[in-house]
Amino acid sequence: MSTVHEIAALLPDPARLRAHLRALAVLDAAIGDDPRFCDYGFDDSWGPGQEAALMDNGSGDDFSVLFTPAGVLIRGFDHESAMSPYATDDERVWPGVIDDVPASLRPLLYEPAFFDEGIDVPRVTVCLWRETGDTAWRTGPAIVFPSGSEDPDGSDFLFGLLKERSPEAVQAHFEDHYERPVALDAIRHVLDGRPVTPALAKALNPAALSDEALLRRIAAHPEAASYLSRDGEFDLARTDPIEAIALPNGLPVQPVAGCNAGGTHYLCGPAAPDGSRPVLYTDSEGQASLIAESLAEALTLAVVLPSWHEALGGLRPPVLNSDYLDDHPDHPAVRDRLLAALRLPPATDEDVLDRLLTTAARTVPDGFLPRVLDEEDSAFEPMLEPPTW
């Protein structure tokens, strides 16, 4: 028989548990086809000074791990457990499960999210806790578990990825859940706490960040489309460039968006299912630059760093983006909301700027500096300039 007592001995310390749970939420969102149906989530603003890691499998089973200044509380519910309040005659929490939760953490059990309509006790079959400064996970010491089940409180079933935390175990779970292969190296990358780039997101789910999927997602999300056409200077309705262009490397170009100043964004190369193409930008003054290695990167750039044109002109932080933030103090919240809506991975200003400059630097040597079609001596000038401090 496996119970909460065995689980308590296998859990890592709170900091490592938090990092692992965040990684599971990131992986689920990246691998799945729709974030609304992910099992794992992480809310870093659950309450004042509180964070919550959440799991809900959509079949009546869930758990929460609440991180607070007072400590950590883990609450789980297995709807088929004989220890469920619904399985008892008086609809009460199974004796001993929460009786010993310390006063500093006990109010967390009574969050409205953990109650079902028509029952006045929390939805719980298993509970663990660890107060700040403690050195071990605690559980109810006097629980008498019902016989006839190898997992009476559901702890082994609910917390499988908390006790078996290896990349291989996590890979096996998501491959079984989504019924398709998932790259082990990409799993390792996220579990190690490293950032999810568009390239890594594509490795986790090739279809999610394809050009076609992203364009459909923008069209279906009015706020994203409005932001991109205005602040992001990436208007999908503007696909009629001022002049036809050709690339020295011979790759075909497809106008995908424009901006209010007369510039045009092009996808470079032949279209391919689930493929990605570099993005070239040309302005109305005869300058051009590669700005991204894929449409996903270009959209991330537009959302995270709307002043990216100035970066190519040599401007760097902290001046870069400062004027925009002064005029749009809510930009960080808008940024995070739009990235999530478009299923683009989180990204910092620094990450996006580094990718932009690295990509722009290969515009000329790799044959991406265009010329006007059928005109001699009509090559554009590169936009990338040395930094100004």
Side-chain angles (χ1 to χ4, degrees):
M1 178 187 294
S2 176
T3 70
V4 66
H5 299 310
E6 286 71 35
I7 296 297
L10 297 172
L11 293 181
D13 63 72
R16 286 193 296 154
L17 180 64
R18 177 182 175 276
H20 182 70
L21 284 161
R22 285 188 74 98
L24 292 180
V26 169
L27 284 167
D28 207 356
I31 297 168
D33 293 320
D34 190 331
R36 295 175 300 172
F37 303 115
C38 291
D39 288 359
Y40 290 90
F42 199 97
D43 186 341
D44 56 11
S45 56
W46 180 260
Q50 299 178 1
E51 297 176 316
L54 306 168
M55 191 286 294
D56 187 333
N57 66 7
S59 299
D61 313 299
D62 69 279
F63 73 66
S64 59
V65 184
L66 305 182
F67 297 89
T68 77
V72 183
L73 180 81
I74 303 176
R75 176 213 58 88
F77 177 71
D78 174 6
H79 81 284
E80 293 187 349
S81 169
M83 296 171 61
S84 165
Y86 295 104
T88 62
D89 293 335
D90 53 358
E91 293 189 333
R92 311 307 297 171
V93 175
W94 191 267
V97 170
I98 62 173
D99 297 353
D100 295 281
V101 174
S104 61
L105 298 175
R106 193 170 186 83
L108 300 173
L109 286 167
Y110 296 93
E111 292 278 354
F114 307 146
F115 281 72
D116 291 331
E117 187 176 352
I119 187 168
D120 62 357
V121 295
R123 191 175 62 252
V124 59
T125 59
V126 55
C127 189
L128 304 94
W129 58 89
R130 185 160 167 170
E131 290 187 282
T132 299
D134 200 351
T135 58
W137 292 97
R138 309 295 174 180
T139 68
I143 304 172
V144 178
F145 297 98
S147 60
S149 172
E150 290 300 312
D151 186 19
D153 56 7
S155 57
D156 190 62
F157 157 63
L158 291 168
F159 304 135
L161 287 186
L162 305 191
K163 63 187 184 71
E164 298 287 346
R165 299 180 299 277
S166 71
E168 291 77 11
V170 174
Q171 179 194 40
H173 168 82
F174 284 117
E175 287 190 337
D176 179 68
H177 184 72
Y178 288 108
E179 298 182 341
R180 57 180 169 81
V182 180
L184 183 59
D185 286 347
I187 295 281
R188 287 198 180 100
H189 181 102
V190 176
L191 291 178
D192 286 342
R194 289 181 282 172
V196 179
T197 64
L200 188 77
K202 183 179 177 183
L204 290 167
N205 186 347
L209 295 184
S210 69
D211 296 346
E212 294 77 10
L214 285 165
L215 294 173
R216 286 196 303 269
R217 219 167 282 141
I218 295 168
H221 198 279
E223 184 187 10
S226 175
Y227 171 90
L228 288 169
S229 65
R230 186 184 65 253
D231 297 42
E233 298 286 358
F234 202 94
D235 188 347
L236 297 176
R238 295 175 181 264
T239 56
D240 186 16
I242 297 173
E243 302 167 303
I245 64 170
L247 299 181
N249 59 22
L251 290 176
V253 292
Q254 173 191 339
V256 66
C259 71
N260 296 330
T264 303
H265 298 269
Y266 297 88
L267 297 174
C268 303
D274 299 340
S276 60
R277 292 175 280 174
V279 178
L280 175 76
Y281 174 78
T282 61
D283 68 15
S284 59
E285 304 297 324
Q287 291 187 309
S289 180
L290 274 181
I291 62 168
E293 301 296 346
S294 66
L295 179 59
E297 278 194 14
L299 294 171
T300 302
L301 176 66
V303 171
V304 175
L305 202 67
S307 302
W308 63 264
H309 300 77
E310 297 174 355
L312 292 181
L315 211 59
R316 297 290 183 272
V319 179
L320 180 65
N321 239 26
S322 61
D323 288 345
Y324 183 82
L325 289 172
D326 288 342
D327 294 335
H328 303 84
D330 63 339
H331 177 66
V334 172
R335 172 200 64 203
D336 293 346
R337 187 165 63 247
L338 294 183
L339 290 176
L342 298 178
R343 300 207 49 213
L344 294 165
T348 65
D349 291 6
E350 294 78 10
D351 291 338
V352 169
L353 178 59
D354 287 346
R355 289 202 296 264
L356 169 66
L357 298 178
T358 299
T359 301
R362 73 182 190 89
T363 303
V364 175
D366 289 358
F368 283 94
L369 192 65
R371 61 177 175 81
V372 177
L373 192 64
D374 298 329
E375 289 188 20
E376 297 295 331
D377 301 323
S378 60
F380 284 65
E381 294 293 324
M383 295 177 68
L384 182 62
E385 297 180 7
T388 57
W389 304 99

